[in-house]
Amino acid sequence: MSIQKVAVIGAGVMGAGIAAHIANAGIPVCLLDIVPENVENRNSVAESAVAKMLKAEPAPFMHKNNARLVTPGNIEDHLEWLKEVDWVIEAVIENPAVKRELYRKLENICRPDTLISSNTSTLPLKLLARDMPDSFKQRFMITHFFNPPRYMRLLELVSGAETRPELVAAVSRFADTHLGKESVSCKDTPGFIGNRIGIYWLQCGLLEAIKLGLTVEQADAAMTVFGIPKTGVFGLLDLVGLDLIPHILGSMERALAKEDAFHQVNTLPEPVQTMIADGYTGRKGKGGFYRLQETGGKRVKESISLQTGAYRVSEKFALPSLPKTQDEIRAFLLGEDAISRFSWQVLSNTLAYSASLTPEIADDITAVDTAMRLGYNWKYGPFELLDRIGVDWFVDRLLADNREAPSLLANRHDLYKVDSGKCLYADLSGNYHPVHRPDGMLLLADIKLQAPAVLENPSASLWDIGDGVACLEFHSKMNTLDMDSLAVVRQSVEKVKTDFSALVIHNDADNFSAGANLTLLVQAIQAQDWLAVEQLIKQGQQSYQALKYAPFPVVGAPSGLALGGGCEILLHCDAIQAHAELYIGLVEVGVGLVPGWGGCKEYLRRRLEFARRPGGPMPAIAQAFETIGMAKVSKSATEAKELLFLSTTDGITMNKDRLLADAKAKALLLVSGYTPPEPVSFSLPGASARAAMDIAINNLKLAGKITDYDVEISRQLADVLSGGQCDITEPLTEDDLLNLELTAFLHLVQQPGTLARLEHLFKTGKPLRN
């Protein structure tokens, strides 16, 4: 089965978001909803949903043009459209009777081979398909997307005994390659996997925090010990919406057996009931456990007291030291303070509950771990966490608390292990099986199990990923780049020359690179060690030039943030294979600097070589000045192409787990007959271009759009992009442009305004406009 066109029925937040993401994949989609009473525009619900999404942040569309692939309509006039689609996704209200009435209409209209699925998050498939004919049951399943559909990588699949396997396979394949999802097969049980465990965990956290008298900040910070995002319990409840919680709890109350442990936490505390009644339902309402208030012309974050219900200014809370090793985590969980007791209660209840549900909710532990990692953004799934703590220790601690240990943990052995370079997981009998990877998937994490790094230091490594291709990985905090990183770049060039045929630059982390390590820069500025700054810039320039002119192809494979120096290294690659969620840009002006590792040079080159630019160098210089000067960052890989951070021939991969394999394939295609690029020369106008940009800078300052120090930075940037003191009849070399970057950079680091911006960023995490 090939999915070429889709329909979504229900234009609420989820339905509209699903439609938008299908459009992101380049697939036409019909979005239908009801016809409201007393309106002239019968498509108003669906059209309004699309209009809202075009203004929403975070954006459901990867590019505004994708909205053209969504055709709004209504279920009274346009059900006939469904004869042309391959997959219909129902996303209407969580009412079985309403859904079944719709299914009967779909059964009569859709082609016999059209897949029909529900996006329900709580209703079981057997209830939805009740009294429906066998012909419907054979092509019906649940496809539960997580919110927001563009960004959450989990897709839960629930199929019935009658569902045709080829339809399930087709959806899983489409979700993988087109939507970037990892599909997890769930049993037909209440809440499936993600919400069954996730809501239980949230309820545990909510109730324990109130019981132990913790602040919401303390409770949320405690969860980060276990790889749970900073939103923790209360930030996530605000995001989900407090008003939804009673409905979810009610659904679980009705659906779960009386002996299920969920009932022990299935209560809505009085403070939360009051918040909902007063309209404090989270981010979509007036606020929730956290809210933003206007105070003295500034937006101030406030938090609610779980004891009094009063709001106060939020106080950042961080543990004195974050436990990392197994011994440190165990010691933390054994602590007698309120935060340690809270953490143990929430974690132990959640992990024990997860273990007790397998195999009720899923066939194996990998499905549960995947669901919680991708559906709730946990760094580790429940069973991966159990291994980090130690299964034997965990069971002993449960028994010491007079609690029963789940049968899955009775053998007390590790739930995962590595054997012969492969990751294995344990089944209920204690036997181990290989963790499955779909064809065409290559993960650096798997490579690391098979052999040691070819090169390695604390900031970067080089790995052999097979077929003559090496992979350069950055692995410092946020993958920031320092002298160690640059050393491995240069060493990799020499190593690949002799032992490999191509190089890919990639890592499995959330972000490719947040740029240069600014801590080192601040230390050098404070010490007025200008020689150290100069060495850092020269090392970066030389390292990136070595990559650009290496006698082998270099392919960048970024995902997430690729900022500053991280963007610059990609601009020096022969080609890029980017994950669809790429946020790339030259953002140095935000900290009072200009790109110094060849970013100005390479971005200007792209603008000058752009086939559709107007004649003469000035339009290209102006575009480069605007993009760098305004620190523009793409909101997707598609936008990165529009900004020319990616070229028209660079590829985009929807599924992050396929990114390395796609980049490797691209690198291998470039190997045959590869020759390094020819050096570039720049014919730039010099003083005349700088004068034009100076007028623009002054106009922006008069309009109040830039600050005094922005003017200083902009003039330095203008000097680089115009070619300094050059004449257009005397072309500049790349080294000339690099020297201009270095001069501008060294000038700016010696200005108090730059130090003020850097120090403010480290102190507050926010940019300073001085």
Side-chain angles (χ1 to χ4, degrees), residues 14 48 189 290 332 354 361 392 439 457 512 516 560 601 606:
M14 278 303 297
S48 295
T189 57
Y290 299 98
F332 172 71
S354 300
I361 60 174
D392 194 46
D439 291 340
N457 69 25
F512 177 75
K601 165 181 71 75
R606 287 182 176 234

Side-chain angles (χ1 to χ4, degrees), residues 490 537-547 738:
R490 295 191 301 278
I537 299 306
K538 285 185 174 180
Q539 289 285 356
Q541 291 181 348
Q542 292 165 9
S543 301
Y544 288 8
Q545 286 292 90
L547 273 178
L738 290 174

Side-chain angles (χ1 to χ4, degrees), residues 99-350:
K99 290 177 185 286
R100 282 197 293 266
E101 181 182 353
L102 175 61
Y103 297 158
R104 293 186 184 95
K105 294 177 182 178
L106 299 181
E107 173 72 356
N108 292 328
I109 289 171
C110 295
R111 299 191 317 260
D113 61 343
T114 299
L115 170 70
I116 299 171
S117 72
S118 174
N119 184 57
T120 183
S121 59
T122 56
L123 298 174
L125 183 141
K126 56 182 173 288
L127 174 63
L128 296 178
R130 183 185 297 167
D131 301 327
M132 296 299 295
D134 289 344
S135 57
F136 177 83
K137 293 177 181 178
Q138 289 169 7
R139 42 117 157 234
F140 179 66
M141 63 185 298
I142 288 171
T143 52
H144 177 217
F145 290 79
F146 275 63
N147 192 33
R150 169 183 165 182
Y151 301 95
M152 301 302 293
R153 293 180 56 208
L154 178 63
L155 179 65
E156 290 186 322
L157 303 182
V158 183
S159 56
E162 300 93 339
T163 310
R164 286 156 46 197
E166 67 269 21
L167 295 182
V168 180
V171 167
S172 182
R173 185 169 57 248
F174 178 85
D176 172 357
T177 58
H178 286 75
L179 302 181
K181 305 294 181 189
E182 185 160 348
S183 299
V184 172
S185 293
C186 310
K187 302 288 186 69
D188 190 20
T189 57
F192 315 128
I193 299 175
N195 285 345
R196 178 76 170 274
I197 295 171
I199 300 301
Y200 178 87
W201 161 68
L202 289 171
Q203 282 293 112
C204 284
L206 172 62
L207 297 175
E208 284 296 325
I210 293 173
K211 177 182 174 182
L212 293 170
L214 265 61
T215 66
V216 293
E217 296 98 327
Q218 288 173 326
D220 287 346
M223 291 292 96
T224 63
V225 172
F226 311 106
I228 289 168
K230 292 180 180 180
T231 48
V233 170
F234 294 98
L236 183 56
L237 284 169
D238 279 353
L239 185 61
V240 170
L242 274 63
D243 55 326
L244 293 180
I245 302 302
H247 300 289
I248 295 171
L249 296 182
S251 176
M252 292 295 192
E253 176 75 30
R254 294 185 295 272
L256 293 174
K258 291 181 180 180
E259 61 274 13
D260 194 285
F262 195 100
H263 296 300
Q264 297 171 15
V265 298
N266 195 350
T267 182
L268 198 64
E270 187 175 331
V272 181
Q273 294 181 38
T274 302
M275 290 172 69
I276 296 171
D278 292 343
Y280 288 96
T281 55
R283 293 191 187 183
K284 64 185 177 183
K286 297 187 291 185
F289 295 104
Y290 299 98
R291 72 176 183 182
L292 291 174
Q293 287 290 97
E294 290 287 341
T295 303
K298 294 183 179 180
R299 301 188 81 187
V300 177
K301 186 177 181 180
E302 296 184 340
S303 308
I304 201 167
S305 166
L306 297 172
Q307 286 70 46
T308 67
Y311 281 95
R312 54 169 174 74
V313 175
S314 294
E315 299 176 359
K316 284 189 177 181
F317 178 83
L319 296 169
S321 62
L322 197 64
K324 294 179 180 178
T325 67
Q326 187 176 80
D327 287 343
E328 289 172 346
I329 292 172
R330 289 177 179 180
F332 172 71
L333 292 172
L334 286 168
E336 291 299 320
D337 59 286
I339 292 175
S340 290
R341 286 186 287 129
F342 166 81
S343 299
W344 168 249
Q345 285 301 122
V346 175
L347 187 71
S348 62
N349 285 340
T350 303

